[in-house]
């Protein structure tokens, strides 16, 4: 296919051979799986932070079953305190989009134009009922996990611009990625209902290659979320688990890899759509010399914007949140509190050793208030054969 056909096509996969489409799906799924594996420790750590923030109390059997299991809300308090200041600073009434006049403007012509554009853009953002809700949720997630993403695209089907929140666990990047603009592979995990997929197939946006939906694999972050919300994933999935991967492919076979967005099923790698991530104006060709007319660069469309709470000091891709900064302290506070309560339990309930001279019936010897028990031993003999366990005050 020529580059002009690739740009204009609403689904490039429809014009490729089945073998070519399957090969692209295999390569994209392999890259996605490799990137997921490379960030497994990051997911485990963030799952732990999420449990702390959501006050998830997991079962404990040390020092005994049913011991104290208090979760002090240190991380939750810090996240809510930051969120309560960040939200009104960003969204104050209907004035969401701010503007800045660059250069001289003695007659306020630029300022008036910028003000009108700002009001219109604020109206369009707030017109979308989910934008403010997603921004509110995103700020809270940002404070805990340190990184969130926004996906900004044009929905030609709905005839509107979309700016949707993407959770950090749903956006998988190449291990060597330093920033979003230079990323060679970015994978976005999302779900679609069977009915929506059918609509896209009938409109020609998707290939009709999917069979029945398959349950998505449960990772550390997904398990933490389910445990916090007291949910269990169903055995038979009613949604398709898809991945939209921004990657580089050489579909016109000129030796230069162009930027595309490949949508495939997460479990099987079946491709349903390939879309160009560039326009004709983004294609740069050599204007003179023996290589005149050849493509030397294509400027890709970047759908994603990254937001960080604190940039990683070591130059890593993911930012730092309160989950990483306060997590160890929160764990220490939880341990100290539970030790105090367990020591109080031991001190209150007591316990110790019974000698053979204390002729008491076997089994547990517990007492209710105002209860007296009859034994076959004298007072002195009983006293000498009962040794309480020494428990120091906490």
């Amino acid at each position: 296919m020529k580059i002009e056909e690739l740009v204009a096509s609403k689904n490039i996969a429809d014009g490729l051979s089945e073998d070519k489409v399957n090969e692209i799906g295999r390569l994209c799924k392999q890259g996605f799986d490799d990137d997921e594996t490379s960030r497994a420790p990051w997911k485990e750590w963030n799952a732990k932070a999420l449990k702390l923030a959501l006050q998830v109390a997991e079962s404990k059997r040390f020092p005994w079953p049913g011991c104290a299991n208090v979760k002090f809300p240190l991380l939750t308090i810090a996240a809510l305190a930051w969120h309560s200041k960040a939200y009104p600073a960003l969204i104050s009434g209907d004035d969401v989009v701010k503007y800045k006049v660059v250069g001289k403007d003695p007659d306020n012509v630029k300022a008036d134009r910028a003000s009108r554009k700002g009001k219109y853009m604020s109206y369009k953002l707030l017109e979308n009922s989910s934008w403010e809700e997603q921004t509110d949720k995103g700020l809270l997630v940002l404070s805990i996990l340190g990184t969130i993403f926004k996906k900004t695209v044009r929905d030609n089907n709905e005839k509107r611009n979309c700016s949707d929140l993407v959770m950090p666990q749903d956006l998988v990047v190449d291990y060597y990625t330093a920033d979003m603009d230079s990323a060679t592979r970015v994978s976005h995990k999302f779900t679609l209902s069977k009915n929506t997929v059918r609509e896209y197939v009938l409109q020609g946006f998707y290939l009709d290659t999917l069979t029945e939906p398959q349950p998505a694999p449960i990772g550390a972050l997904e398990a933490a979320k389910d445990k916090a919300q007291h949910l269990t994933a169903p055995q038979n999935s009613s949604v398709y688990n898809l991945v939209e991967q921004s990657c580089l492919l050489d579909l016109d076979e000129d030796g230069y890899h162009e930027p595309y967005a490949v949508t495939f099923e997460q479990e099987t790698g079946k491709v349903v759509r390939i879309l160009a991530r560039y326009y004709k104006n983004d294609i740069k060709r050599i204007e003179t010399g023996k290589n005149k007319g050849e493509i030397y660069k294509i400027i890709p469309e970047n759908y994603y914007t990254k937001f960080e709470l604190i940039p990683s000091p070591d130059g890593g891709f993911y930012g730092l949140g309160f989950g990483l900064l306060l997590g160890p302290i929160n764990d220490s506070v939880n341990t100290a509190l539970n030790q105090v309560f367990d020591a109080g339990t031991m001190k209150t309930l007591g316990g110790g050793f019974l000698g053979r001279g204390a002729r008491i019936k076997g089994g547990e010897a517990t007492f209710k208030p105002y209860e007296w028990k009859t034994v076959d031993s004298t007072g002195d003999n009983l006293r000498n054969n009962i040794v309480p366990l020494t428990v120091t005050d906490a």
Side-chain angles (χ1 to χ4, degrees), residues 81 136 151 154 232 243 290 328 333 355 373 378 381:
D136 186 20
K151 182 179 182 180
R154 173 68 179 178
T232 303
V243 177
K290 64 178 182 178
V333 173
K373 293 183 182 291
T378 62
N381 190 37

Side-chain angles (χ1 to χ4, degrees), residues 40-112:
W42 174 86
K43 293 181 67 176
E44 292 178 1
W45 178 259
N46 279 275
K48 185 177 181 181
L50 198 61
K51 289 179 182 178
L52 282 174
L54 295 175
Q55 302 287 284
V56 176
E58 297 178 296
S59 60
K60 286 179 59 180
R61 299 188 63 83
F62 180 84
W64 59 78
C67 59
N69 193 13
V70 176
K71 300 293 183 182
F72 187 76
L74 176 66
L75 176 55
T76 308
I77 293 172
L80 291 175
W82 184 88
H83 174 270
S84 65
K85 295 180 180 179
Y87 185 81
L90 294 175
I91 301 178
S92 179
D94 296 335
D95 185 20
V96 178
V97 178
K98 309 296 192 299
Y99 63 88
K100 179 181 179 180
V101 176
V102 180
K104 296 181 180 180
D105 187 26
D107 299 327
N108 291 328
V109 176
K110 293 182 180 179
D112 292 341

Side-chain angles (χ1 to χ4, degrees), residues 1-12 251-254 258 260 275-281 283-285 293-295 298:
M1 298 177 70
K2 295 182 179 181
I3 195 74
E4 293 77 11
E5 296 175 320
L6 296 172
V7 173
S9 176
K10 62 181 178 181
N11 190 358
I12 298 172
L251 296 185
D252 61 351
E253 299 180 350
D254 63 347
E258 308 89 34
Y260 297 96
L275 189 67
R277 286 193 300 121
Y278 57 93
Y279 298 97
K280 291 182 66 175
N281 294 336
I283 302 173
K284 308 299 179 183
R285 299 178 183 270
E294 290 191 18
I295 298 173
I298 297 179

Side-chain angles (χ1 to χ4, degrees), residues 255-266:
Y256 182 84
H257 289 68
E258 308 89 34
Y260 297 96
V262 181
T263 305
F264 59 92
E265 191 176 25
Q266 181 178 344

Side-chain angles (χ1 to χ4, degrees), residues 2-184:
K2 295 182 179 181
I3 195 74
E4 293 77 11
E5 296 175 320
L6 296 172
V7 173
S9 176
K10 62 181 178 181
N11 190 358
I12 298 172
D14 201 23
L16 300 177
S17 66
E18 183 178 353
D19 291 340
K20 182 66 174 178
V21 172
N22 292 338
E23 176 66 13
I24 292 174
R26 186 189 65 80
L27 292 174
C28 290
K29 186 179 187 308
Q30 181 180 346
F32 168 75
D33 292 339
D34 291 343
D35 295 339
E36 274 281 60
T37 302
S38 69
R39 69 170 193 161
W42 174 86
K43 293 181 67 176
E44 292 178 1
W45 178 259
N46 279 275
K48 185 177 181 181
L50 198 61
K51 289 179 182 178
L52 282 174
L54 295 175
Q55 302 287 284
V56 176
E58 297 178 296
S59 60
K60 286 179 59 180
R61 299 188 63 83
F62 180 84
W64 59 78
C67 59
N69 193 13
V70 176
K71 300 293 183 182
F72 187 76
L74 176 66
L75 176 55
T76 308
I77 293 172
L80 291 175
W82 184 88
H83 174 270
S84 65
K85 295 180 180 179
Y87 185 81
L90 294 175
I91 301 178
S92 179
D94 296 335
D95 185 20
V96 178
V97 178
K98 309 296 192 299
Y99 63 88
K100 179 181 179 180
V101 176
V102 180
K104 296 181 180 180
D105 187 26
D107 299 327
N108 291 328
V109 176
K110 293 182 180 179
D112 292 341
R113 186 186 306 127
S115 177
R116 291 193 300 271
K117 289 186 176 181
K119 289 179 180 179
Y120 176 74
M121 293 176 69
S122 297
Y123 165 75
K124 295 300 290 184
L125 283 176
L126 296 176
E127 182 186 32
N128 183 357
S129 59
S130 64
W131 180 85
E132 189 172 358
E133 178 185 351
Q134 290 187 15
T135 302
D136 186 20
K137 183 190 300 183
L139 290 174
L140 191 59
V141 176
L142 178 63
S143 64
I144 298 171
L145 301 184
T147 306
I148 60 169
F149 302 91
K150 275 294 188 74
K151 182 179 182 180
T152 306
V153 293
R154 173 68 179 178
D155 189 342
N156 292 320
N157 194 35
E158 297 292 336
K159 306 298 182 183
R160 63 184 179 91
N161 296 324
C162 299
S163 180
D164 298 324
L165 172 67
V166 178
M167 300 291 281
Q169 60 265 31
D170 293 332
L171 195 79
V172 187
V173 298
D174 179 38
Y175 172 80
Y176 298 100
T177 298
D179 54 68
M180 296 304 299
D181 292 331
S182 62
T184 57

